[in-house]
Amino acid sequence: MTDFIDTPIGPIPRIATVANRRDLWGTVGARIGIIRSHYRVSPGVYAVGAPSADAPILVTANYKLSFDALRFQLTGIHAWVLVVDTRGINVWCAAGKRTFSTQEVIASVKRYRLDELVLHRELILPQLAATGVSSQAVKHGCGWTVQFGPIRSTDLPAYLQHGKTATPAMREVTFTLKERLVLIPVELFLIGKPLLLLLPVGFLLSGIGPGIFSLHMAWQRGLLVLAATITGIVSGSILTPLLLPWLPSRQFWLKGLLAALPVLVWVEHILPIPSPLGQGALALWLLTISSFWAMNFTGSTPFTSPSGVEREMRRALPAQCLGGLTATICWVASSF
């Protein structure tokens, strides 16, 4: 916020269109997952520039990365920004979860008295909100029409400049290397808690042997489990997103298996595992970890629908559970 402007519905905060240091650090925290669940702005009406009663009303979610992505593209533009309460969820996910919904848009129009703010009756929503918002229902519910703008906020200035006309490129969903790279830090952050629970169990099981339990074996063999686990995570959460367009299969859990195969060959050559059974156990464990975290990535992509994610999980989880259990039994047995 920079200041307030007086309007028929009272003072409205004017927002900056350039990031400051706090915005940058907040973006970093959200991107790596530390504050992602709580990174939000207050729902309401905001002003950009010096909007008049004829200025467009741009609608977005109250997830701050979505809010920032919009406002940082509005330098030199005079507009109103309506932030609806999506419970701190981004536009696309909120539309799928029905928090960015028809009823929420109607309620926001009425709650913030937009009829008194502008002369027109038109809202511009991001295209990715279309799965949750019905333009006809909004028209029926509050008398306002809905225009769906471009997918990317970077195209919004051109869209407004050309009479609210979107080119085919503005309507196309992309998933470029850069867009995939941005998602990797969050995926790695989400692994933290399961990893803290999993590794102590791995070290404990690694110490079981002919003498019942050995601290030396727990440490020595536990490091091998740690190496295989981290390698599987790297394969599933980093290599799979990077190589996504070139990995065969529509199933992400299978993509994770394929991404792990060349890594597995390399690991088998550098890890000192004298027992063939132990080698097989760690190989199966690495493949299982890679497959699981690659499957976890499917919910972050535009490749699958929620029903597609559920269908894949029903197929993959039994195989992954069996693989993890078999790897564990073989690893313990390999010490005898």
Side-chain angles (χ1 to χ4, degrees), residues 200-214:
V201 175
F203 275 89
L204 183 64
L205 293 176
S206 297
I208 298 175
I212 300 179
F213 188 82
S214 166

Side-chain angles (χ1 to χ4, degrees), residues 16-166:
T17 58
V18 178
N20 58 29
R21 183 177 300 178
R22 185 177 180 183
D23 293 324
L24 295 175
W25 280 113
T27 298
V28 171
R31 288 299 186 191
I32 64 177
I34 296 176
I35 59 173
R36 185 180 64 154
S37 300
H38 308 285
Y39 200 49
R40 59 185 70 181
V41 297
S42 298
V45 182
Y46 298 84
V48 176
S52 66
D54 295 317
I57 298 181
L58 310 172
V59 187
T60 190
N62 76 319
Y63 179 48
K64 193 169 184 296
L65 285 187
S66 298
F67 177 72
D68 287 348
L70 172 61
R71 68 186 177 102
F72 293 158
Q73 302 300 324
L74 299 180
T75 300
I77 294 175
H78 305 294
W80 305 103
V81 175
L82 173 62
V83 177
V84 299
D85 187 3
T86 60
R87 318 312 189 258
I89 302 173
N90 68 72
V91 170
W92 201 358
C93 293
K97 293 174 182 289
R98 296 298 187 267
T99 55
F100 198 142
S101 65
T102 299
Q103 292 306 316
E104 186 61 39
V105 171
I106 294 173
S108 296
V109 168
K110 296 178 179 179
R111 183 184 304 126
Y112 302 118
R113 299 159 52 197
L114 298 187
D115 290 348
E116 303 174 39
L117 180 65
V118 295
L119 298 176
H120 62 81
R121 296 294 179 266
E122 182 181 87
L123 302 170
I124 300 176
L125 274 64
Q127 182 179 314
L128 294 181
T131 55
V133 179
S134 166
S135 57
Q136 291 182 342
V138 171
K139 178 70 173 179
H140 179 75
C142 63
W144 284 63
T145 60
V146 168
Q147 295 285 342
F148 288 105
I151 287 176
R152 291 168 293 277
S153 59
T154 52
D155 292 326
L156 193 55
Y159 170 81
L160 294 173
Q161 185 178 359
H162 292 89
K164 302 172 189 172
T165 301

